[in-house]
Amino acid sequence: MTATAPPGGQLWSRCGGCATLLYRKRLSRNLDVCPECGTHARLGAPERLRQLVDPGSFVPLPDRPADVDPIDFVDLLPYPHRLSAARAATGLAEAVLCGTATVGGHRAALAVMDFRFLGGSLGAAVGELITRTAERALDERVPLVLVTASGGARMQEGALSLMQMATVSQAVAALREAGVLTVSILTDPTYGGVAASFATNTDLVLAEAGARMGFAGPRVIRQVTGRALPEGFQTADFLLRHGQVDMVVPRRVLRGRLASVLAAARAGRPPAAPPGPASPPAGGPARRT
């Protein structure tokens, strides 16, 4: 299982893949990819943005959706308490960071999910923020980049969370119909309703090396079917071989690859139509004297 990148204050980190003890600064310089075995540690949304976009270019969406608790959900704790705890632990208002930025000088709208926040679950606020980001991309005619990391729909919000799959997918479809590029970057893990909807509904689907994607996890599938699963099931390379993603990209080249895609999209736009000839005056064409 891929380990989560530890806080920057720690001096040493243990790789979740090979269990090697690594000097934290060395791991940071390698973008939280183990230099011994290549395991990609999970990243929070702020760190993901720092690695992807041009320095100082990210401008977050100005507004924040209201909190919802439609079914007064309580397990060991009431849902509002879990939200407060997630906010305190991550420093984020919700499980996604949305805004505009440039990547290699090319402008885009981005929605970056954070698995640390309630498993990156898709709730009403998350769906609304991603939808607003897609609408901004459509208004400004800039590509939309979705970076997914999620366990699926947010169970604490009941059916409202399931509705977000359709809401976001519809916003992405509007961009595709308008000829505006949409790109999905699958990171580990991307599961449930997110995987089944907008994460795989874009023009281009990239998968970070080591990412896993599926509707249900392997253990659940084995329990339901009673069958052994193929080797590498749901991993990025397996998904590529079976046509579920367009390419698998190591983290060290992800920013460059995304910049190249955005550059190609920009170059492929049809030029603006030149202004037509000026209309003659109301009294007919001017006469030479």
Side-chain angles (χ1 to χ4, degrees):
M1 180 177 292
T2 303
T4 302
Q10 290 187 1
L11 290 177
W12 298 90
S13 299
R14 189 174 297 278
C15 173
C18 64
T20 300
L21 197 61
L22 301 166
Y23 187 43
R24 179 66 201 153
K25 288 186 177 179
R26 180 190 180 199
L27 189 58
S28 249
R29 287 193 297 268
N30 207 40
L31 304 181
D32 286 294
V33 177
C34 176
E36 303 299 329
C37 70
T39 293
H40 287 51
R42 293 174 184 166
L43 298 177
E47 180 59 26
R48 177 71 65 180
L49 279 167
R50 280 193 289 272
Q51 291 187 11
L52 275 185
V53 308
D54 299 339
S57 68
F58 181 71
V59 179
L61 288 184
D63 43 7
R64 168 182 156 183
D67 291 342
V68 297
D69 186 10
I71 57 177
D72 296 323
F73 188 91
V74 178
D75 45 29
L76 296 177
L77 290 173
Y79 177 41
H81 292 189
R82 291 207 177 276
L83 283 174
S84 297
R87 287 168 181 156
T90 63
L92 302 178
E94 255 299 346
V96 67
L97 269 180
C98 300
T100 58
T102 58
V103 181
H106 305 287
R107 197 158 182 271
L110 298 99
V112 181
M113 304 185 78
D114 195 314
F115 192 77
R116 299 174 303 160
F117 196 109
L118 297 180
S121 50
L122 178 65
V126 174
E128 185 173 347
L129 285 167
I130 299 175
T131 299
R132 290 182 187 178
T133 307
E135 291 171 348
R136 172 74 71 88
L138 184 59
D139 289 343
E140 301 185 10
R141 307 288 296 187
V142 297
L144 173 69
V145 178
L146 304 174
V147 183
T148 60
S150 177
R154 187 169 295 179
M155 65 177 183
Q156 293 92 340
E157 296 182 16
L160 274 185
S161 64
L162 298 175
M163 292 166 62
Q164 306 313 309
M165 296 190 297
T167 301
V168 178
S169 294
Q170 191 171 22
V172 171
L175 283 164
R176 297 182 67 179
E177 290 172 6
V180 178
L181 176 68
T182 56
V183 180
S184 177
I185 301 175
L186 308 177
T187 71
D188 188 68
T190 297
Y191 277 99
V194 172
S197 57
F198 58 88
T200 50
N201 196 29
T202 54
D203 296 311
L204 186 65
V205 181
L206 312 181
E208 185 176 68
R212 293 167 298 163
M213 185 195 75
F215 184 70
R219 183 176 60 182
V220 174
I221 295 174
R222 281 194 296 266
Q223 289 174 346
V224 171
T225 64
R227 297 181 179 179
L229 299 177
E231 184 177 354
F233 182 66
Q234 294 185 336
T235 63
D237 290 332
F238 183 91
L239 296 169
L240 179 65
R241 290 196 302 271
H242 290 80
Q244 296 298 302
V245 302
D246 295 303
M247 64 181 78
V248 176
V249 187
R251 187 173 294 167
R252 68 180 181 276
V253 298
L254 184 56
R255 182 176 180 271
R257 187 66 53 85
L258 179 58
S260 297
V261 167
L262 297 180
R266 185 175 181 179
R269 290 180 190 168
S279 301
R287 296 182 180 179
R288 293 184 180 179
T289 57

